[in-house]
Amino acid sequence: MANVLVIHGPNLNLLGSREPEVYGADTLDAINQNLSQMAQQNGVNLQTFQSNNEGEIVSCIQQAANNQVDFIIINPAAYTHTSVAIRDAFLATRIPFIETHLSNVYAREEFRMHSYLSDIALGVVSGFGKTSYLLALEAAVIHCKQSVKQRTE
């Protein structure tokens, strides 16, 4: 059974009421419930974490290595464009991850088009609202199954 961690960055706790025209009407709890259902259907152990604090996110990534997390899905939110610390945590732990965003960051302000994470991520899913998370989880499941298959061959 694969262990997948989903990390939600700053202000995502306000989903449902925060700029629904950009981020949709779904709450973070609803997104987590959809992820949990999909994970259960795919035999995945799923954990979720949300923080508005960069240091807590870095600590969560570091702890994930100790907790034998196989894969991380992260919506770093505003930290996408500012956090060398989160980037360094991923480089240090070497846990494969997908960067995900609810909105299409490339159709927004110019500063949102730069990510400190995308070049080291396995992939990026952006612009599909809550479905971005589900697509990322589908890709994580496929990646984990392929990794197990390669280790057993």
Side-chain angles (χ1 to χ4, degrees):
M1 179 178 282
N3 294 310
V4 175
L5 171 64
V6 178
I7 300 174
H8 307 284
N11 297 311
L12 294 172
N13 56 307
L14 300 176
L15 289 177
S17 62
R18 175 188 179 211
E19 300 174 86
E21 67 281 2
V22 174
Y23 301 107
D26 291 296
T27 65
L28 187 59
D29 284 342
I31 290 170
N32 284 338
Q33 286 175 3
N34 287 333
L35 287 167
S36 291
Q37 289 171 350
M38 184 176 178
Q40 189 175 31
Q41 291 168 354
N42 285 281
V44 170
N45 179 31
L46 184 83
Q47 299 172 348
T48 61
F49 176 80
Q50 190 279 325
S51 180
N52 295 318
N53 182 298
E54 181 181 29
E56 289 178 0
I57 293 171
V58 168
S59 294
C60 183
I61 295 165
Q62 292 175 355
Q63 189 60 44
N66 295 332
N67 293 342
Q68 299 178 340
V69 168
D70 299 303
F71 203 95
I72 296 176
I73 297 166
I74 184 168
N75 182 343
Y79 290 136
T80 304
H81 325 292
T82 64
S83 184
V84 174
I86 292 172
R87 175 189 178 88
D88 287 349
F90 277 115
L91 289 171
T93 61
R94 299 178 184 217
I95 299 171
F97 73 97
I98 293 174
E99 176 184 336
T100 189
H101 300 281
L102 295 162
S103 68
N104 179 354
V105 293
Y106 299 102
R108 298 184 62 196
E109 302 92 341
E110 187 174 334
F111 74 88
R112 295 188 194 275
M113 295 178 194
H114 178 264
S115 168
Y116 279 94
L117 302 175
S118 61
D119 66 315
I120 62 169
L122 188 65
V124 178
V125 181
S126 173
F128 298 102
K130 71 177 180 183
T131 305
S132 291
Y133 282 102
L134 299 173
L135 292 168
L137 181 56
E138 182 178 355
V141 168
I142 291 167
H143 176 81
C144 290
K145 286 180 181 177
Q146 288 174 344
S147 294
V148 167
K149 184 178 179 184
Q150 288 173 353
R151 285 194 301 258
T152 58
E153 290 180 342

